Amino acid sequence: PVVMEDLYELIERKQCECLNADESFPLSNAIDIEARENDEVFLKSDCDAQLLLHISFQQIVKIHSLVIYTCEKHRAVGPKSISLFVNKPHLDFSSSESEKTSQEIGLSKDMLDGRPLELKFTSFQNVSSLSVLVKGNMSGDEDEPTIINKLVFFGFSTAIEGRKRTLEEQKAASAGDWLNPK
């Protein structure tokens, strides 16, 4: 089985942005590895509950799951529903209404505790960027700002690495007997 890893090292942080973020509480507070371990540091929406995050990757990745964590203190304004869009880096709030989503996720307060939320893996196979639309938060008040402490993506790179297979291994694979090469 392929080991799912934190895709943090593959995020192109200079290309990431968040629409409607409070300038004092930027996206980097939720995705930077040092910041995401500190409950006092978070991403916060500005004038209402909505956020639109654009996460760019340095290479094509497959995303298996994500963590959206909001600490206990702020969980009442953690995200309630999100829409995910694959490879739509120029999405804005108005175009997100007509664009087809890759997956919609309704969240409960206990889902914001740091557990990985599995995605429809087939929809997240060739991802160069992921847009996350936060539609609202747990308060139900669209004027109440949304808070996210930590955002983590798990999956793996599609880049081929490692040694080439030997001729024997190639023949075994071609014969369909790759589990028991002779």
Side-chain angles (χ1 to χ4, degrees):
V2 175
V3 177
M4 299 301 156
E5 56 191 43
D6 182 342
L7 296 174
Y8 173 77
E9 292 295 330
L10 298 177
I11 293 175
E12 186 65 67
R13 286 178 287 292
K14 290 181 182 70
Q15 299 290 321
C16 295
E17 66 170 338
C18 183
L19 305 182
N20 195 38
D22 182 321
E23 287 178 11
S24 305
F25 302 96
L27 174 60
S28 59
N29 285 358
I31 60 173
D32 284 353
I33 211 148
E34 310 81 35
R36 60 189 196 192
E37 298 309 315
N38 181 349
D39 282 355
E40 299 305 311
V41 178
F42 46 82
L43 164 64
K44 181 178 174 184
S45 60
D46 190 13
C47 56
D48 60 23
Q50 288 195 320
L51 286 165
L52 183 54
L53 296 66
H54 294 294
I55 308 297
S56 293
F57 295 95
Q58 297 166 7
Q59 58 195 54
I60 304 292
V61 296
K62 295 182 182 207
I63 302 177
H64 172 269
S65 54
L66 75 147
V67 168
I68 300 175
Y69 169 72
T70 301
C71 69
E72 197 68 48
K73 177 176 159 187
H74 299 299
R75 206 155 289 163
V77 291
K80 187 170 179 69
S81 72
I82 61 169
S83 296
L84 302 173
F85 302 86
V86 171
N87 302 337
K88 305 283 183 199
H90 305 295
L91 200 68
D92 59 28
F93 284 108
S94 59
S95 63
S96 71
E97 293 172 21
S98 57
E99 196 66 52
K100 183 180 180 325
T101 62
S102 300
Q103 187 169 348
E104 306 239 354
I105 303 175
L107 298 165
S108 60
K109 284 184 183 173
D110 62 333
M111 292 167 83
L112 300 175
D113 64 2
R115 71 182 71 176
L117 307 171
E118 263 190 56
L119 302 178
K120 289 187 293 196
F121 198 46
T122 52
S123 300
F124 299 88
Q125 293 290 305
N126 291 299
V127 182
S128 58
S129 72
L130 184 68
S131 299
V132 181
L133 172 65
V134 177
K135 297 179 176 180
N137 63 42
M138 297 295 172
S139 74
D141 179 348
E142 58 189 47
D143 295 326
E144 185 71 36
T146 298
I147 289 179
I148 299 173
N149 286 84
K150 175 164 68 173
L151 189 62
V152 185
F153 303 94
F154 289 100
F156 53 92
S157 162
T158 60
I160 306 298
E161 294 175 1
R163 65 178 181 82
K164 286 180 71 171
R165 293 191 298 186
T166 65
L167 192 56
E168 195 174 292
E169 288 169 325
Q170 288 175 21
K171 284 180 182 169
S174 299
D177 192 20
W178 53 275
L179 288 175
N180 306 305
K182 303 283 181 270

